[in-house]
């Protein structure tokens, strides 16, 4: 008797055709899954890689905008939510900082040019979001001014303080105007969710941004008479060089003598420019080729002598900006050499110059700034209108005589009074304590007392290089010297220099 064996088709191995079909289905699903993952990853990446630009920042629960309270421009002014009106204090420049992983951003206010900052670098819940003068640079000490923008879907991000890992939120979820924005441990409430909305504006990128001063050509800062690049540990240009460097600029000093004659310093500046122009720009792997010169006082005259003696050096200069340079001489030099003997001045300058390390200190470093001598030099140099192919411009400083009590720099108040009252020949009442406004005009004149807060005593000859008291930085009331130079350099960048 034959035994029949029943085959359970439900448990039977698949046929060849079935195998092919299943394989095809799995491949199709895998392909769809892969595409979905790629699209998903690309979408997250595209959102997280915020482009540098101007934005309004809107919180989800109230629809109100991140705003500097009362439109203040002061350090530590609180940042709040407020109904959006398009006012400058509600518009922010979001810029990726040039950190390594993870990505972070600076958030810079349009009106004040200051950055969003967790007050006091606190890591505590409830610490205020304020605006503050940007510290610049890529160090951990500045992480309370940097924020990670974490995509949470639906067009919203969490804004996470880099130093604390905590999220920006509207205090207590309030819907009221002027409710404070603070940091707190992250939650999924709508008052932790922010929408970044691009704003169309003709305003340039703020000068406080980390790459605002990243010019095509390096910046060469040239000092004036009497002091060197470094004196007693203080920089001739105060905080300016470090401030520009923190915003992407390549900054060099001139290295010329403090008491060098025009010819001596011209040789030194020429050698310095040749050295810098041969250096390799890491961004292009090519030599820089040119420099942007910013010269204070006699540094501008030394440069003009260099260009007269070596005219082909013009091809290595992209721009030439003079700051309070006595292009037509100085009544102060006239008074000094009319009052004291040449021998006494020569003896003093020789000693001081050698102490400072000058190669050839010379009394002519000062005497050749007399007004009658500069008439002769200008006829020889023939360059008061600038140089073809070189962006040439000038600025002057001026003490405001009606507000002199606001000035801390008493020494230059005295010399300024001498220029206006005791100088031999024509008096120069409109001056900075060393150089008259009219004497400082060269090529395109950009003006005096640029960005000085109203009501202060103007700017002295030292103040315009961030030294309000001889060598000490940052001592000029009402004048933000680093911002003045950032503006010059960021404008050079915009112009392609």
């Amino acid at each position: 008797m034959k035994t029949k064996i029943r085959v359970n088709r439900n448990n039977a191995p698949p046929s060849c055709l079935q195998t092919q079909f299943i394989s095809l289905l799995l491949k199709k699903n895998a392909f769809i899954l892969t595409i979905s993952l790629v699209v998903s990853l690309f979408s997250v990446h595209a959102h997280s890689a915020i482009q540098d630009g101007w934005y309004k920042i809107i919180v989800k629960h109230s629809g109100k905008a991140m705003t500097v309270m009362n439109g203040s421009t002061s350090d530590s002014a609180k940042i709040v939510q407020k109904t959006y009106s398009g006012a400058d204090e509600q518009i922010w420049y979001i810029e990726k900082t040039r950190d390594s992983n993870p990505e972070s951003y600076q958030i810079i206010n349009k009106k004040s040019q200051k950055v969003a900052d967790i007050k006091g670098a606190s890591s505590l819940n409830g610490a205020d979001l304020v605006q503050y003068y940007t510290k610049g640079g890529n160090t951990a000490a500045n992480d309370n001014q940097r924020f990670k923008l974490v995509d949470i879907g639906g067009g919203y991000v969490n804004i996470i303080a880099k130093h604390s890992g905590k999220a920006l939120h509207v205090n207590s979820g309030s819907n009221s105007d002027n409710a404070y924005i603070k940091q707190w441990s992250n939650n999924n409430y709508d008052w932790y969710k922010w929408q970044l909305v691009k704003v169309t504006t003709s305003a340039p990128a703020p000068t406080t941004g980390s790459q605002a001063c990243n010019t095509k050509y390096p910046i060469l800062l040239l000092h004036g008479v009497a002091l060197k690049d470094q004196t007693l540990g203080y920089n001739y240009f105060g905080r300016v060089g470090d401030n520009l460097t923190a915003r992407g600029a390549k900054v060099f000093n001139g290295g010329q003598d403090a008491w060098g004659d025009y010819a001596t310093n011209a040789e030194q500046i020429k050698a310095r420019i040749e050295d810098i122009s041969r250096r390799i720009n890491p961004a292009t792997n090519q030599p820089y080729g040119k420099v942007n010169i910013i010269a204070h006082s006699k540094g501008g005259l030394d440069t003009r002598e260099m260009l007269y003696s070596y005219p082909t050096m013009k091809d290595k200069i992209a721009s030439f900006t003079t700051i309070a340079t006595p292009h037509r001489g100085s009544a102060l030099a006239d008074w000094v050499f009319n009052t004291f003997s040449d021998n006494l001045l020569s003896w003093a300058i020789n000693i001081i110059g050698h102490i400072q390390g000058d190669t050839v200190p010379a009394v002519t470093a000062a005497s050749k700034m007399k007004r009658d001598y500069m008439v002769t030099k200008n006829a020889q140099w023939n360059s008061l209108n600038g140089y073809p192919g070189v962006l040439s411009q000038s600025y002057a400083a001026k003490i405001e005589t009606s507000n002199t009590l606001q000035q801390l720099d008493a020494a230059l108040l005295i010399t300024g009074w001498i220029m206006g009252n005791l100088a031999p020949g024509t008096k120069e009442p409109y001056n900075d304590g060393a150089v008259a406004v009219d004497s400082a005009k060269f090529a395109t004149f950009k003006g005096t007392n640029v960005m000085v807060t109203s009501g202060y005593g103007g700017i002295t000859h030292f103040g315009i290089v961030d030294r309000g008291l001889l060598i000490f930085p940052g001592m000029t009331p009402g004048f933000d010297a680093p911002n003045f130079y950032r503006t010059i350099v960021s404008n050079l960048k915009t112009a392609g220099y």
Side-chain angles (χ1 to χ4, degrees):
M1 180 178 178
K2 293 181 179 180
T3 305
K4 291 184 179 180
I5 301 175
R6 288 182 173 270
V7 177
N8 185 344
R9 293 294 181 186
N10 291 329
N11 296 323
S15 67
C16 181
L17 186 61
Q18 287 175 317
T19 301
Q20 289 178 351
F21 176 77
I22 292 169
S23 176
L24 182 62
L25 186 62
L26 288 173
K27 287 179 180 179
K28 182 179 178 182
N29 288 340
F31 176 76
I32 292 172
L33 181 61
T34 301
I35 292 296
S36 299
L37 284 171
V38 169
V39 170
S40 175
L41 288 171
F42 179 80
S43 299
V44 170
H45 174 74
H47 191 282
S48 63
I50 302 297
Q51 291 183 341
D52 291 2
W54 295 105
Y55 292 82
K56 58 181 177 180
I57 304 175
I58 307 297
V59 65
K60 184 176 183 181
H61 78 292
S62 66
K64 295 185 176 181
M66 186 180 289
T67 307
V68 177
M69 193 170 189
N70 299 323
S72 174
T73 58
S74 300
D75 281 343
S76 297
K78 291 187 177 182
I79 296 176
V80 299
Q81 72 169 5
K82 191 172 182 180
T83 302
Y84 184 73
S85 66
D88 283 354
E89 61 266 25
Q90 297 183 305
I91 298 175
W92 302 84
Y93 194 84
I94 298 179
E95 180 193 73
K96 185 179 182 298
T97 55
R98 271 55 188 175
D99 292 337
S100 56
N101 192 46
E103 292 183 344
S104 64
Y105 296 79
Q106 276 189 321
I107 303 175
I108 307 167
N109 188 254
K110 184 180 179 185
K111 181 174 181 178
S112 67
Q113 302 281 295
K114 294 181 177 178
V115 299
D117 173 296
I118 300 297
K119 189 173 183 179
S122 173
S123 295
L124 299 177
N125 282 339
D128 286 326
L129 182 69
V130 298
Q131 70 174 4
Y132 206 78
Y133 183 87
T134 180
K135 301 170 188 175
N138 287 331
T139 66
N142 304 332
D143 281 351
N144 62 307
Q145 296 187 339
R146 301 179 200 168
F147 299 87
K148 291 181 281 185
L149 307 177
V150 180
D151 192 309
I152 54 175
Y156 290 92
V157 297
N158 287 141
I159 303 177
I160 307 296
K162 186 177 180 184
H163 76 295
S164 66
K166 294 183 175 177
L168 299 188
H169 82 303
V170 175
N171 191 38
S172 301
S174 171
N175 286 299
S176 300
D177 278 350
N178 294 320
Y180 297 149
I181 296 172
K182 298 174 177 285
Q183 72 172 5
W184 204 273
S185 299
N186 200 7
N187 283 293
N188 194 36
Y189 301 122
D190 283 351
W191 48 93
Y192 287 78
K193 300 175 182 179
W194 303 88
Q195 186 179 33
L196 311 178
V197 183
K198 270 272 194 178
V199 172
T200 301
T201 173
S202 59
T207 63
T208 47
S210 63
Q211 296 299 299
C213 298
N214 183 18
T215 50
K216 181 178 180 180
Y217 303 109
I219 305 299
L220 177 59
L221 297 177
L222 297 178
H223 67 70
V225 73
L227 299 174
K228 303 195 78 167
D229 294 325
Q230 297 283 336
T231 300
L232 300 177
Y234 291 96
N235 195 295
Y236 185 94
F237 283 86
R239 301 163 295 172
V240 170
D242 288 344
N243 209 276
L244 294 176
T245 299
R247 280 135 191 99
K250 289 79 65 178
V251 180
F252 297 88
N253 293 121
Q256 75 273 30
D257 285 353
W259 295 98
D261 184 80
Y262 291 143
T264 299
N265 282 10
E267 287 275 1
Q268 294 169 341
I269 292 170
K270 173 179 178 289
R272 187 64 166 148
I273 293 172
E274 288 175 333
D275 170 50
I276 297 168
S277 63
R278 287 193 296 263
R279 297 192 184 199
I280 300 300
N281 181 350
T284 64
N285 206 32
Q286 298 293 322
Y288 284 116
K290 296 184 179 185
V291 298
N292 292 303
I293 293 176
I294 299 178
H296 178 244
S297 193
K298 181 175 172 283
L301 302 182
D302 292 335
T303 302
R304 290 177 64 198
E305 173 75 10
M306 186 268 298
L307 287 168
Y308 169 75
S309 300
Y310 309 99
T312 58
M313 289 299 292
K314 176 177 70 70
D315 298 333
K316 297 183 184 299
I317 299 174
S319 68
F320 178 34
T321 303
T322 65
I323 310 289
T325 291
H327 292 287
R328 295 163 186 81
S330 169
L332 181 62
D334 290 351
W335 178 83
V336 168
F337 284 92
N338 190 56
T339 304
F340 304 98
S341 73
D342 288 4
N343 287 338
L344 174 63
L345 293 169
S346 180
W347 173 80
I349 287 172
N350 191 56
I351 291 176
I352 295 169
H354 276 108
I355 290 173
Q356 291 178 287
D358 281 1
T359 53
V360 189
V363 71
T364 51
S367 66
K368 288 184 178 180
M369 288 189 287
K370 293 167 65 177
R371 288 177 290 182
D372 58 353
Y373 187 82
M374 283 307 301
V375 170
T376 302
K377 291 304 286 184
N378 281 321
Q380 181 187 62
W381 291 339
N382 190 30
S383 61
L384 277 171
N385 292 322
Y387 300 90
V390 177
L391 175 67
S392 302
Q393 58 188 0
S394 59
Y395 293 84
K398 186 176 77 168
I399 298 169
E400 296 287 357
T401 55
S402 61
N403 293 298
T404 52
L405 292 179
Q406 296 283 358
Q407 274 292 347
L408 299 179
D409 202 344
L412 286 181
L413 291 181
I414 293 170
T415 57
W417 181 85
I418 288 171
M419 292 174 69
N421 295 276
L422 300 182
T426 305
K427 307 297 188 290
E428 293 181 335
Y430 303 108
N431 65 73
D432 62 10
V435 177
V437 170
D438 284 342
S439 183
K441 294 178 179 178
F442 168 78
T444 301
F445 181 57
K446 307 290 283 188
T448 60
N449 292 358
V450 178
M451 295 181 287
V452 177
T453 303
S454 176
Y456 288 92
I459 315 175
T460 67
H461 195 68
F462 295 152
I464 202 165
V465 285
D466 197 36
R467 297 189 343 261
L469 288 171
L470 187 61
I471 60 174
F472 301 107
M475 301 289 284
T476 297
F479 177 56
D480 185 345
N483 189 41
F484 169 59
Y485 287 89
R486 287 199 307 271
T487 300
I488 293 174
V489 175
S490 65
N491 287 341
L492 290 175
K493 176 185 176 180
T494 300
Y497 294 94

